[in-house]
Amino acid sequence: MSSAKDVEGPRARGPEPAPGGGADPEPPSGRDSDPGPPARGRGADPEPPPPGGVLWSLSGDIRALLMLPAALTLQVAHPAVGAGVDEHSVFRTDPWGRGERSLRSLQLWVYGGAEAAEEGRRLRVLHRTIQGTDTRGRPYHALTPANYAWVHATGFPVYQHAARYLIRPMTPAQERALYAEWLQVGRMLGIHDRDMPQSIEEFWPYWEKMLAGEIEATTVVRELVDVDQPVPPPDRGPWPLRMTLRALWPVLLPPLARFRRFVTIGLMPPDARAAVGLPWSAEQEKRLRRMCAVLRVVVPVLPERLRYLPRARAARAARRTAAPNG
């Protein structure tokens, strides 16, 4: 099993078994359509999550790559977010570039230091022109607080749930620390405190309300879990690797698509999975637990250059260098 260091912050318990309202549209130039700088003050940027915290440990671990599809799928299960991605995103034509940019952005929020707030401002600018009609015929704007806050909100329950499988269960103290750090990320993204549940006790009723009345299997959700959806071969990396993948792509894509669907649905919180209407069997649950048991043993013994994503690895090295005793 992984050590207690796998989830930093307050010490974790031993492993435990894992458990089997519409947005108000606003014009792009309206004050409420752009969250703007956080309410804590316009003179200073909000602080990023603390080095050595729970989020610092989770989001840079390579196992976090398996958590991201569930969070992204939940984001687009919101009618407005799904419509925005359907109409404005390049995820169909440039999935690898889109994924690379999303991962870079996420890593900046946690490990970017002074760059984190700048990345939040860049994202707000990027989303200012995204508007249209959602899947229920309602006007939407990407920066309407309810829509923007949902995109941010999905990260916490996915991290909290998936860590139980891939790393280890969190203690209540760690869950609270993770939520507090995720609120800090929200502030960097320009979300006002008034638009985010300010505690775990406030978060779960909000979550249940969203699942009961707002979330659905949008067109983008169905595409993300469709094993027959066409995906172009990777266009990143060394030229010989790209050429090899291109040649083998007809053989590689079907099992990769099945694996993507498997981890997307499997690592999604069960109540969210049910709300979206995604099927999951007892046999699939057993397979997921077996896979995660292997990863809990293998990943912690990998060298740091293989265990952590590049920006996380660099941030950890810089923190050690800056420590008084090295």
Side-chain angles (χ1 to χ4, degrees):
M1 301 297 292
S2 19
S3 70
K5 293 181 180 178
D6 287 340
V7 178
E8 296 178 10
R11 184 173 179 83
R13 295 190 306 261
E16 296 175 355
D24 295 326
E26 297 288 345
S29 58
R31 182 175 181 272
D32 288 339
S33 68
D34 184 343
R40 55 183 291 174
R42 294 179 180 271
D45 287 333
E47 292 291 327
V54 178
L55 192 56
W56 174 279
S57 174
L58 279 176
S59 62
D61 190 301
I62 58 171
R63 288 170 286 188
L65 295 175
L66 297 176
M67 305 178 189
L68 295 181
L72 294 171
T73 302
L74 271 179
Q75 290 173 10
V76 298
H78 188 290
V81 180
V85 171
D86 187 21
E87 296 167 3
H88 298 276
S89 175
V90 297
F91 81 98
R92 296 183 181 96
T93 56
D94 184 25
W96 303 102
R98 173 71 160 75
E100 181 180 64
R101 291 188 293 274
S102 296
L103 182 60
R104 174 185 177 276
S105 188
L106 174 59
Q107 295 292 288
L108 278 174
W109 304 345
V110 180
Y111 306 106
E115 295 180 74
E118 182 58 36
E119 176 64 7
R121 287 189 285 270
R122 185 190 72 84
L123 289 173
R124 291 196 299 276
V125 171
L126 183 68
H127 287 82
R128 279 177 181 164
T129 60
I130 298 177
Q131 58 186 316
T133 303
D134 73 12
T135 61
R136 300 181 185 180
R138 304 170 299 192
Y140 75 84
H141 188 277
L143 292 179
T144 296
N147 303 339
Y148 204 50
W150 170 255
V151 173
H152 167 258
T154 57
F156 169 70
V158 170
Y159 272 135
Q160 184 253 14
H161 175 70
R164 302 174 69 183
Y165 286 82
L166 289 163
I167 301 177
R168 64 185 301 121
M170 297 182 198
T171 65
Q174 286 175 328
E175 289 186 2
R176 290 184 179 277
L178 174 62
Y179 191 75
E181 292 168 19
W182 202 239
L183 287 178
Q184 289 178 261
V185 170
R187 295 181 187 114
M188 288 191 305
L189 294 176
I191 304 174
H192 289 289
D193 281 354
R194 66 174 180 259
D195 297 317
M196 297 185 290
Q198 290 297 294
S199 67
I200 289 182
E201 288 78 11
E202 294 176 9
F203 177 81
W204 292 119
Y206 158 79
W207 172 252
E208 291 168 3
K209 180 181 178 181
M210 293 297 292
L211 295 186
E214 195 69 20
I215 303 312
E216 62 183 35
T218 63
T219 297
V220 181
V221 167
R222 293 193 295 271
E223 288 188 24
L224 290 178
V225 297
D226 182 0
V227 297
D228 296 320
Q229 191 70 19
V231 178
D235 56 2
R236 285 358 187 220
W239 182 84
L241 177 61
R242 296 201 310 270
M243 293 302 100
T244 300
L245 289 173
R246 180 178 296 178
L248 296 176
W249 199 238
V251 176
L252 295 176
L253 178 57
L256 288 175
R258 290 193 295 270
F259 180 73
R260 178 191 63 191
R261 176 184 171 90
F262 177 70
V263 297
T264 298
I265 300 177
L267 294 177
M268 188 178 292
D271 52 355
R273 184 194 304 151
V276 179
L278 297 174
W280 188 249
S281 69
E283 179 56 35
Q284 288 173 311
E285 179 70 15
K286 290 178 183 177
R287 287 170 49 207
L288 178 67
R289 293 193 185 203
R290 287 196 297 266
M291 180 192 79
C292 292
V294 172
L295 292 174
R296 289 198 304 269
V297 172
V298 172
V299 174
V301 300
L302 293 175
E304 189 170 86
R305 69 181 184 277
L306 297 178
R307 179 176 176 183
Y308 293 100
L309 298 169
R311 186 170 286 271
R313 194 166 63 244
R316 293 171 71 89
R319 185 183 180 222
R320 285 194 299 268
T321 301
N325 296 322

